[in-house]
Amino acid sequence: TTEAPVTTEAPVTTEAPVTTEAPVTTETPVTTQPPVPSDEPGLLWSGSYGKAVIEGYGKDMFDDYCINLRLTNSSEKTLCFSFDLVSVNGWMIDPFFARDVKPGETADAEVSFLSSYFEKYGITDVREISFALKVYDSDDIFADYIANEKHTVYPMNDDPSKLSFPVRGILHGDTPIYRDGRWFISVIGIEYDELWEEYDIKYYVHNNSSEDVEIYIHDVKVNGTEVDAFGFADLNAGSQIIESVGIEKDALDKASITSIDSIEAVLEITDPAVFFGSPYWSGTVKLK
């Protein structure tokens, strides 16, 4: 078959117990800086190695929304400036931004956001952008971060205390697979992508906790047969995302699977700044 219907029955098992062990941090701690007003350039980071400044907001050459930056490298190393854990109006969006700056140089850069993301999430006015600015030695990616600072900016000069964004939550046709007071995860449906020749399992996550988290989906089984598929999603505290896990049609053909009757996977909710630590939650979820 070419389509795989999804029913609303989705029993959730919690085979892996919730751990309470404190994770071990192996990454440079993230520090939070005060908001940067948009009516004057804002300093994001400054030190002996250089600095990063927001000069304004606008459109790039493709008419996509962008943040205009000025990056200075005062060191003798080539520095890479990047954005991570980016959300716009509470929706996680990856701008794929990284810029190398040579020693002793200053460069202008744009952090661009594809319009397709804004259309996907119904974003018309950019009121709030949260992100982690990371600066590191471009020639030694395993070295400690020179800077790893989290910021929230308000391009339209909104009062943060008066800002609120709607939560998508569960809609008709969604299948909840995990929920408690901190996190809500549901499957939206399965769609066949003709371009990539794969079945995309679309899922929605709302991180209602006060912690940044990473959703990791692995050990995926279709009709009891393990297939090569996995998914990641990073979320800031209070943010939302719609993501997907792709299952290649070729993998199903090789396993002689002609219809998707059930899907099983291991779901982990972890701290994105911690490697090899215990997850906040881990268990097996099943979808029929």
Side-chain angles (χ1 to χ4, degrees), residues 208-247:
N208 195 40
S209 76
S210 59
E211 304 291 338
D212 297 340
V213 299
E214 178 180 79
I215 306 299
Y216 178 32
I217 299 172
H218 59 97
D219 292 345
V220 180
K221 295 180 180 179
V222 177
N223 300 354
T225 300
E226 189 166 340
V227 296
D228 185 15
F230 60 90
F232 290 93
D234 287 335
L235 290 97
N236 291 325
S239 67
Q240 312 172 79
I241 195 171
I242 294 175
E243 263 293 354
S244 63
V245 175
I247 301 175

Side-chain angles (χ1 to χ4, degrees), residues 155-178:
M156 300 182 71
N157 295 323
D158 290 290
D159 180 350
S161 66
K162 296 180 180 179
L163 272 182
S164 63
F165 303 106
V167 174
R168 176 189 182 275
I170 185 171
L171 300 181
H172 179 72
D174 287 4
T175 304
I177 58 174
Y178 181 84

Side-chain angles (χ1 to χ4, degrees), residues 28-273:
T28 305
V30 177
T31 59
T32 301
Q33 302 297 319
V36 179
S38 64
D39 57 353
E40 61 184 49
L43 184 66
L44 296 178
W45 166 76
S46 180
S48 59
Y49 282 87
K51 65 179 179 179
V53 178
I54 288 183
E55 294 200 311
Y57 307 86
K59 294 292 185 73
D60 64 14
M61 62 183 297
F62 301 104
D63 204 36
D64 289 326
Y65 187 88
C66 70
I67 304 173
N68 299 309
L69 299 176
R70 172 152 288 192
L71 310 173
T72 301
N73 181 358
S74 304
S75 75
E76 298 179 353
K77 305 176 180 180
T78 298
L79 299 183
C80 183
F81 296 76
S82 68
F83 274 29
D84 194 16
L85 289 172
V86 182
S87 65
V88 176
N89 294 5
W91 285 99
M92 297 302 296
I93 293 177
D94 192 345
F96 302 107
F97 171 76
R99 175 67 184 269
D100 282 348
V101 180
K102 294 181 179 180
E105 294 189 0
T106 295
D108 292 326
E110 294 178 339
V111 183
S112 296
F113 300 84
L114 293 176
S115 297
S116 57
Y117 279 116
F118 287 9
E119 293 168 2
K120 176 181 178 180
Y121 295 132
I123 297 172
T124 53
D125 296 321
V126 178
R127 322 295 299 222
E128 175 188 274
I129 307 174
S130 294
F131 58 90
L133 170 69
K134 296 185 177 181
V135 183
Y136 53 91
D137 184 345
S138 184
D139 297 319
D140 187 2
I141 61 174
F142 296 105
D144 290 338
Y145 288 116
I146 296 169
N148 184 8
E149 300 180 350
K150 195 158 188 186
H151 298 265
T152 298
V153 296
Y154 302 91
M156 300 182 71
N157 295 323
D158 290 290
D159 180 350
S161 66
K162 296 180 180 179
L163 272 182
S164 63
F165 303 106
V167 174
R168 176 189 182 275
I170 185 171
L171 300 181
H172 179 72
D174 287 4
T175 304
I177 58 174
Y178 181 84
R179 56 181 164 184
D180 63 16
R182 298 165 293 174
W183 308 293
F184 175 83
I185 306 173
S186 65
V187 171
I188 298 173
I190 299 178
E191 296 180 357
Y192 183 69
D193 188 323
E194 294 185 357
L195 178 62
W196 297 102
E197 295 186 339
E198 67 179 17
Y199 292 91
D200 289 332
I201 307 170
K202 287 191 169 185
Y203 63 95
Y204 163 78
V205 185
H206 178 214
N207 177 16
N208 195 40
S209 76
S210 59
E211 304 291 338
D212 297 340
V213 299
E214 178 180 79
I215 306 299
Y216 178 32
I217 299 172
H218 59 97
D219 292 345
V220 180
K221 295 180 180 179
V222 177
N223 300 354
T225 300
E226 189 166 340
V227 296
D228 185 15
F230 60 90
F232 290 93
D234 287 335
L235 290 97
N236 291 325
S239 67
Q240 312 172 79
I241 195 171
I242 294 175
E243 263 293 354
S244 63
V245 175
I247 301 175
E248 294 183 358
K249 183 177 182 297
D250 183 61
L252 299 182
D253 292 341
K254 289 180 179 179
S256 300
I257 297 175
T258 58
S259 64
I260 299 177
D261 301 316
S262 66
I263 299 172
E264 179 179 321
V266 175
L267 169 67
E268 293 185 10
I269 303 173
T270 66
D271 184 340

